Amino acid sequence: MDRRVAIKNLALVLGGATLFPKNMLAGDTNLIQLKNLSITPAQEKLLAEVAETIIPKTTTPGAKDMGLHLFVLLMLDDCYGKHDQQQFAEGLKQFAAIAAKKNAKPFALWPQAQREALLLSIEQKNDLPAELNRFYRITKDKTVQGYTQSKYFMTKKVVYELVPSRYNVNVPVKTKNTAVKHG
Amino acid sequence: MANLNIDSVKERTFDAIVIGSGISGGWAAKELTGKGLKTLVLERGRDVKHNIDYPTTNMYPWEFKHRNEIPLAVREENPIVSRCYAFHEDAAHFFVKDKEHPYIQEKPFDWIRGYQVGGKSLLWARQTQRWSDFDFEGPARDGFAVDWPIRYADIAPWYSYVEKFAGISGNKDGIAELPDGEFLPGFPLNTVEKYFSDHVKKTYNNRHVISARCAHLSKPEPIHFEQGRVQCQNRVLCQRGCPFGGYFSSNASTIPWAMKSGNMTLRPFSVVQSIIYDENKGKATGVRVIDTNTKEVIEYYARIIFVNAAALNTNMILLNSTSNRFPNGLGNDSEVLGKYVAFHLYTATVNADVEGFTEFKTEGRNPAGGGYIPRFRNVQKQETDFLRGYAAGLGAYRSTHTDSSGVGSKLKNSLGSPELGGWGVGSHMMGETIPKESNYVKLDKDQKDEWGMPLLRISVDYDDNDHKMTNDYLEQVGEMFETAGFKNIRKEITKGKAPGLDIHEMGGARMGHDPKTSILNKWNQVHTCSNVFVTDGACMTSTACQNPSLTYMAFTARSVDYAVNEMKKGNL
């Protein structure tokens, strides 16, 4: 797939809660062409599973539905420096190795609880290789950013107002939760 | 313009020429055309039509490819503009990229430019405060630069004139050092800002925290509707260009107004190489323009010329306008042209946490940005070991906390349930700097840009007065925060910040009484070339600490009024 088409598709899925076509995830080609780092189709698919573990599909769309792993790669490719990109690529390999050691089955087929446990063990440990930590941090941060700055999230969860048309002060607090529209 | 020879001189002759279409050029265009003068407005960049050429204005955050972040390759290629606070994906197209227009930094200077119709008026921070005589009398009282040839009374009616048209929101605060204007209703201070304002009033007899005055239509008047502008909708996405015309820009206001008069010819892609001086007539006859696309040189003629190219570009044009009479640049008998360049100190911030007030929050967004602390140092008399003083921006905000730990549905739930946190408060410094001969711009003797214009050499630096003032700001605002009971006070000098990023560069063609020590007289008229007027930042004799744009607008309207009267009297 050429870059323009890939980006167009990416824009499509990132732009909305559009369901990500399943057959596109199953292909043997990369869905996103990167300029500054090299990620194999298998690695790209593994990253999709990691992102899905971070933001799983529940009653609402998950990372795969929203193509969040492609957002992670886009941001990594365009907005991060060489060092981060190298650490990420290396960390991704380390992650694949750890997952394979833990369970012979592909990560994608693990139960969600087991996948979460592995990610949590990385998130909460300080003594892991720097590359693995960096890989996890970037993946988590950008997955979360892609999610919280998606059309779905910003129209259905925490509503973004393009045109607030007001500035009110001394507004009494009724609930601490700010997700409520106009709340 | 392929066949210049058959272009008649007549077709290239106007009553007036305005160089530049930014915040002051737009005003010159509006005033000149409004007085019936056929006016050519030259803009070196492309046209940006209100609403039509604001490609990002209605985009949602998720529609920006990198969520408004500038890609690393662009940042690395453009380190200067990348340091500007407003350079993001949503407005990058309104900024000059470093490589497109190189200049030479004898000392570090981040020159932020907007080359398009409307210039930086699309991008400005829209803060508008009047000067007072405490500012105009500054150089004379404190013995620096030269005496301003005008006082507040000269400019006050023109402040009123431009404020009514532009639409300025604010409150009548009754502070002598920051005169009140013709205000639309001010935006309110929030709970914590109001608390701090009351605290400061109680604790200090000469300090104030007021609602920031800004060029937003809080409650438009008929004159604003007539411009096609409506009430500010609190988007605070101004740098993209505003579809409501909620804030003042040349694009939304003065340029379309001038166009409507039928008297304006707008010529984008026209870089002014020099002003043509006629030795026999003893005045300027027109300008030499380079078409930026074809690189053709074209001359345009007019009876009067307004130079509003933005402070440093105006210096560049005047310096490059050489003749037998003016071998060192137009009107530069005094040799001060390009010198005494000054700027504003945006070099420090104070931030703190605020305990309490958790029963209140805000809704929507505040276009004014919060509060404003007018200058309180050395106002009535000299009282510190540095000259002049500083104003400060002041804003309080209720933070939001989101638990982003963990993964899975737990994380998904917590991301969807952000909670109100405590209040925070922040302040930034805006300090006056002292114009000095050693802070200058000049033309490079050899290096030229793509259009054959000499590259500008910029040599501007901080001085000891700046450092002392910065420290005083940290001390004083730190103390005001402390006595207000704010916690975890963080006083910071912005590390490695070069002059220029304040985007308030001023001077070089300063006003003054004496042609021996200044370029312009009290009407912004070149002392020795009476039909050329400079009413942008280049004219500034000193900088005060107010945001300067409103003063440029007032100078421009006043100067056009004078020029046209002089034309009518047959003096020009």
Side-chain angles (χ1 to χ4, degrees), chain B residues 184-447:
Chain B
L184 307 174
F187 291 94
L189 294 178
N190 66 34
T191 317
V192 170
E193 290 159 357
K194 182 69 173 59
Y195 159 77
F196 185 60
S197 173
D198 292 344
H199 163 75
V200 167
K201 195 174 190 171
K202 270 196 317 240
T203 317
Y204 303 88
N205 59 21
N206 67 337
R207 301 189 188 184
H208 312 273
V209 181
I210 63 169
S211 171
R213 299 168 182 177
C214 62
H216 281 262
L217 300 181
S218 56
K219 194 170 176 244
E221 301 276 343
I223 186 65
H224 307 120
F225 293 128
E226 212 182 315
Q227 295 167 43
R229 300 168 59 202
V230 296
Q231 188 172 330
C232 167
Q233 297 296 310
N234 310 72
R235 291 168 17 120
V236 195
L237 300 171
C238 314
Q239 68 282 354
R240 301 179 183 180
C242 181
F244 301 98
Y247 73 97
F248 175 85
S249 66
S250 297
N251 311 66
S253 180
T254 46
I255 293 289
W257 190 272
M259 195 59 97
K260 212 165 55 179
S261 73
N263 291 326
M264 182 174 76
T265 303
L266 178 64
R267 193 182 200 285
F269 301 116
S270 304
V271 85
V272 171
Q273 192 246 356
S274 58
I275 294 165
I276 305 162
Y277 182 77
D278 187 312
E279 316 265 342
N280 297 325
K281 290 180 181 154
K283 51 186 189 178
T285 51
V287 299
R288 211 166 278 119
V289 162
I290 304 159
D291 184 301
T292 59
N293 295 317
T294 65
K295 313 237 160 116
E296 256 181 308
V297 178
I298 308 157
E299 291 186 351
Y300 290 97
Y301 309 105
R303 285 172 67 191
I304 55 170
I305 296 161
F306 270 74
V307 194
N308 300 86
L312 300 189
N313 284 307
T314 287
N315 275 281
M316 186 151 62
I317 291 168
L318 295 175
L319 285 165
N320 204 40
S321 301
T322 54
S323 55
N324 287 329
R325 169 68 186 85
F326 294 114
N328 301 317
L330 188 76
N332 191 18
D333 291 343
S334 60
E335 307 253 334
V336 299
L337 183 61
K339 296 171 185 167
Y340 300 94
V341 169
F343 57 100
H344 277 156
L345 290 175
Y346 278 61
T347 39
T349 58
V350 181
N351 290 285
D353 301 338
V354 181
E355 286 178 352
F357 305 98
T358 48
E359 63 274 36
F360 295 109
K361 61 175 181 174
T362 60
E363 275 180 357
R365 296 179 213 131
N366 184 4
Y372 180 86
I373 306 173
R375 175 162 77 100
F376 53 84
R377 276 307 205 196
N378 303 321
V379 176
Q380 301 286 346
K381 59 177 183 2
Q382 184 62 35
E383 58 199 16
T384 65
D385 66 345
F386 59 88
L387 292 180
R388 315 309 298 159
Y390 47 83
L394 185 281
Y397 53 89
R398 185 89 198 253
S399 68
T400 312
H401 175 71
T402 305
D403 179 9
S404 59
S405 67
V407 296
S409 51
K410 175 199 159 282
L411 172 65
K412 221 175 151 186
N413 283 336
S414 57
L415 292 176
S417 317
E419 290 202 339
L420 286 173
W423 285 85
V425 64
S427 156
H428 67 273
M429 173 196 189
M430 301 177 278
E432 177 163 357
T433 67
I434 307 299
K436 294 180 297 284
E437 192 174 10
S438 55
N439 277 347
Y440 62 85
V441 296
K442 64 180 184 186
L443 304 181
D444 190 80
K445 287 195 173 62
D446 307 307
Q447 298 183 69

Side-chain angles (χ1 to χ4, degrees), chain B residues 118-134:
Chain B
K120 299 192 295 293
S121 78
L122 281 166
L123 298 165
W124 68 314
R126 312 165 310 281
Q127 300 284 306
T128 41
Q129 310 97 21
R130 290 185 177 203
W131 283 36
S132 75
D133 273 336
F134 294 109

Side-chain angles (χ1 to χ4, degrees), chain B residues 6 15 18 35 53 78 84 133 208 214 221 272 343 356 360 387 394 397 491 493 496 506 532 569:
Chain B
I6 58 164
D15 296 326
V18 178
K35 291 174 189 295
D53 296 316
N78 302 282
C84 177
D133 273 336
H208 312 273
C214 62
E221 301 276 343
V272 171
F343 57 100
F360 295 109
L387 292 180
L394 185 281
Y397 53 89
K491 302 191 260 188
I493 291 176
M506 286 176 249
V532 176
K569 287 185 207 156

Side-chain angles (χ1 to χ4, degrees), chain A residues 82-135:
Chain A
K82 199 99 243 123
H83 183 66
D84 278 332
Q85 289 164 349
Q86 282 165 354
Q87 285 209 318
F88 179 95
E90 188 52 39
L92 177 54
K93 280 182 205 155
Q94 291 171 0
F95 178 82
I98 290 170
K101 214 166 118 188
K102 272 219 150 53
N103 188 333
K105 272 200 278 182
F107 184 73
L109 301 178
W110 296 13
Q112 170 77 7
Q114 225 181 83
R115 297 200 289 176
E116 285 186 16
L118 178 57
L119 295 195
L120 278 177
S121 75
I122 298 171
E123 180 166 315
Q124 289 159 1
K125 261 188 216 160
N126 301 319
D127 56 349
L128 297 170
E131 296 84 2
L132 183 59
N133 265 328
R134 196 73 194 117
F135 155 74

